[in-house]
Amino acid sequence: MNRIFYIIGKSSSGKDTVYKHLTAEMNLVPIVIYTTRPMRENERQGREYYFVDRNQFEKMCSDGDVIEKRIYNTMHGEWIYFTAKNSIDTEKGDCIGIGTLQSFVQIKKFFGSAVVPVYIEVDDGIRLARAVERERMEKNPKYKELCRRFLADCDDFSEEKLSLAGINRRFGNNSDIELCIDEIKK
C-alpha cells in the first residue's frame, strides 16, 4: 500500500500552504474530504472539499461510506467535516491530506501504518495574528468563529492528545514557510 501523508496542526499553522506546495512538487494524490459548511470565496467543489448537505451526509453514513466525521457547533450553525472511503485512493500513489488530530487517529485506525503524520507547529501569537489577517480578507469576516476555533485548538492539540496519537515529530512554521516545507520534504 502507498503512504498517506496527513498534515495536521492548529488553525492558521500553514497547513493549506504546505499542502499546496507538497501536492504540486511531490506528485502526491490529494485527499478531498467532505463538509456541510458553506463554500467560501475562491473555493471550488471537489478542490478544497466536496460540499454536501446534511441529507447527503446522513445517507453516506447509513451506506457505510464514512471513515471519520467531526461535528462542530459553530457561531453559524452546525458544520460537519468527514472523510469518505472514496476520498482516499492509495492505488493511484502516495496520498496527501489535511485534517485534525481526531481525524488523523481515525484515518490511521482505518489504514494502519501507511498513515504518516505531518504535524505543523506555530507559536500561538503568530497563529492568532495570521488568523485575524486572513479573516480580514473575507467579504464577511467571521471573527467570533475564528476565536472559537483558536480556543478549541488548545484542547484539541494538547500535549497529552498529541502523545496518545503518536505524534513525536514536529515541523516549525514560525517564520519561513519555505524552510518548513523543505524540512517536511526531507
Side-chain angles (χ1 to χ4, degrees), residues 84-99:
K85 291 177 182 175
N86 69 355
S87 297
I88 302 174
D89 186 357
T90 57
E91 297 300 315
K92 291 182 177 179
D94 288 336
C95 298
I96 187 167
I98 303 174

Side-chain angles (χ1 to χ4, degrees), residues 20-61:
K20 288 173 187 171
H21 277 270
L22 294 179
T23 302
E25 297 170 19
M26 299 189 70
N27 198 31
L28 299 169
V29 179
I31 296 170
V32 181
I33 67 170
Y34 291 76
T35 186
T36 61
R37 77 153 168 77
M39 191 182 305
R40 294 180 183 150
E41 290 180 51
N42 301 319
E43 288 182 327
R44 281 199 341 242
Q45 178 72 288
R47 185 179 64 191
E48 289 81 12
Y49 296 96
Y50 293 110
F51 296 91
V52 298
D53 63 22
R54 179 73 185 228
N55 291 335
Q56 290 170 292
F57 163 71
E58 289 174 1
K59 176 161 181 11
M60 291 176 79
C61 284

Side-chain angles (χ1 to χ4, degrees), residues 1 4-5 7 25 35 44 60 80 84 91 101 103 109 122 124 129-130 135 141-143 151 159 170 179:
M1 174 183 282
I4 300 167
F5 296 100
I7 301 171
E25 297 170 19
T35 186
R44 281 199 341 242
M60 291 176 79
I80 304 169
E91 297 300 315
L101 187 60
S103 67
K109 191 179 289 185
V122 176
D124 282 344
R130 288 177 184 171
E135 198 61 33
K142 296 175 175 71
Y143 294 113
L151 294 173
E159 288 299 322
R170 298 162 191 234
L179 291 175

Side-chain angles (χ1 to χ4, degrees), residues 56-70:
Q56 290 170 292
F57 163 71
E58 289 174 1
K59 176 161 181 11
M60 291 176 79
C61 284
S62 67
D63 290 346
D65 294 332
V66 176
I67 296 172
E68 64 83 25
K69 65 181 184 269
R70 290 149 280 133

